[in-house]
Amino acid sequence: MKTIIAIDGPDYSGKTHAVSSLYNFLSKTMLVERHREPGGTLVGEAVRDIVKGNSLSNTSNLFAMLLSRSVLLEHVAESPTNLHIFDRSDMSTYAYQCEYMKDNEADRVFAATRTILNRPFEEPVNRIYIVLDVNGKVSAQRKLECSDRDTADLENDAIEKAYSDADRLSGCYRKAVSKYREWNLAEPENITLIDTSELTIEQTVGKVIEFVKDRLEEIYAGNIRFNESKSI
C-alpha cells in the first residue's frame, strides 16, 4: 500500500527544507520518492513554468494545478516505490485558489480533488498532511534573509505576487486543515499543523520527523525500524 506524505504551507515557513530533511531521513530506512507541486513530471514542470511566469486568473491557476497533480499521481500509482513525499499538494490548492480568493467552487474542487487523489490507484492510499504555518511578520523577515532563492526568482514569481498577504494565507491554511478533516480526505490523526513562527529550522524539522515517524509506525503496525545513525 502506498503512503503519500504532503508538506504544505506558505513560502518561508520552512517547508522545502523540511521536505529535504525528511527525505534524507526516511531514505536511510526505505525507498522514497520526492516530488514538488506543481511539477514532478514533464507536464507538471511545464505547468510550473506557466503559472509562475504568467499572471493568470484564479480559475486558470486552479485548473493548471489540477492538471499537474493528476499527471503526477498517475506516475505515483505506476511507481514501484510505496513511499512518496510531496513539496506542496492538494491542500495548498484549496488554501490558495479557494480560501484565499474566496472562490465559491469549494464543493466542486473537493469533488475533483477526491477523484484525482483516488482514481489512479487500485487500493486505498495512506495520506499524511503536514501544514507548516508562519505569520506575516516572520514571513517578511525570512524573505529578506532568504539566500536559497535568487532575486530574479523572487521578483518574477507570479504566484507569490497574486497571493502575497502572508497573514491571510496563514488563515487560509488553517481553514484548509479544518476542511480536510471535515471532508475525511485523510485520517484526522494524519493531519497536523505546526506553527513555525517561533521555531528554528532544526526545531521545525525535528517536529516534522517525529510526527511522520509516529504515523508510519502506526501505519506499518510497528513493523518498521528507523535508521537514525546519521545526523539529519
Side-chain angles (χ1 to χ4, degrees):
M1 181 179 292
K2 294 186 184 292
T3 298
I4 295 176
I5 304 167
I7 301 184
D8 289 271
D11 285 339
Y12 314 107
S13 61
K15 171 180 55 62
T16 299
H17 192 104
V19 168
S20 296
S21 297
L22 180 63
Y23 173 80
N24 292 338
F25 175 78
L26 293 177
S27 293
K28 294 183 290 185
T29 301
M30 61 193 80
L31 291 175
V32 189
E33 286 188 28
R34 174 183 171 183
H35 314 282
R36 66 177 183 177
E37 282 208 15
T41 65
L42 289 176
V43 172
E45 292 300 323
V47 168
R48 186 180 187 87
D49 289 341
I50 290 170
V51 299
K52 285 184 168 288
N54 297 273
S55 180
L56 304 176
S57 69
N58 188 60
T59 300
S60 294
N61 280 324
L62 169 61
F63 280 96
M65 298 298 179
L66 293 178
L67 169 61
S68 175
R69 182 168 306 119
S70 179
V71 175
L72 178 56
L73 287 173
E74 288 170 0
H75 160 76
V76 170
E78 295 171 358
S79 170
T81 303
N82 285 328
L83 185 59
H84 297 258
I85 302 173
F86 280 44
D87 185 337
R88 283 218 171 105
S89 72
D90 42 282
M91 189 175 287
S92 285
T93 297
Y94 182 80
Y96 277 75
Q97 277 77 49
C98 290
E99 288 292 345
Y100 189 98
M101 299 304 291
K102 301 186 184 302
D103 194 301
N104 294 322
E105 298 296 328
D107 288 341
R108 292 183 183 180
V109 171
F110 165 65
T113 296
R114 186 176 286 281
T115 298
I116 290 171
L117 292 182
N118 295 322
R119 180 164 290 176
F121 300 97
E122 295 181 354
E123 58 182 6
V125 175
N126 298 306
R127 301 188 188 278
I128 299 172
Y129 289 97
I130 303 168
V131 172
L132 300 184
D133 194 19
V134 63
N135 66 48
K137 182 178 180 180
V138 174
S139 175
Q141 182 61 36
R142 289 177 181 174
K143 181 176 181 178
L144 290 174
E145 299 170 351
C146 183
S147 60
D148 60 351
R149 296 177 65 184
D150 62 35
T151 302
D153 181 38
L154 292 171
E155 291 178 349
N156 297 324
D157 190 332
I159 292 291
E160 186 168 324
K161 290 180 180 178
Y163 310 90
S164 58
D165 187 330
D167 282 324
R168 180 174 166 187
L169 193 54
S170 169
C172 293
Y173 269 109
R174 290 175 181 272
K175 290 178 182 178
V177 167
S178 175
K179 203 69 175 178
Y180 267 52
R181 287 173 174 152
E182 176 186 329
W183 282 343
N184 294 317
L185 285 173
E187 296 297 326
E189 61 270 22
N190 286 351
I191 304 174
T192 192
L193 183 145
I194 300 170
D195 189 342
T196 72
S197 300
E198 297 183 1
L199 300 179
T200 65
I201 284 293
E202 291 74 18
Q203 289 171 330
T204 298
V205 168
K207 286 181 176 292
V208 168
I209 288 177
E210 285 305 310
F211 179 76
V212 170
K213 284 171 57 180
D214 178 74
R215 302 322 308 146
L216 291 181
E217 284 171 350
E218 180 166 320
I219 288 170
Y220 290 103
N223 295 318
I224 184 171
R225 180 171 295 179
F226 294 102
N227 181 349
E228 304 187 51
S229 59
K230 296 180 182 179
S231 61
I232 300 167

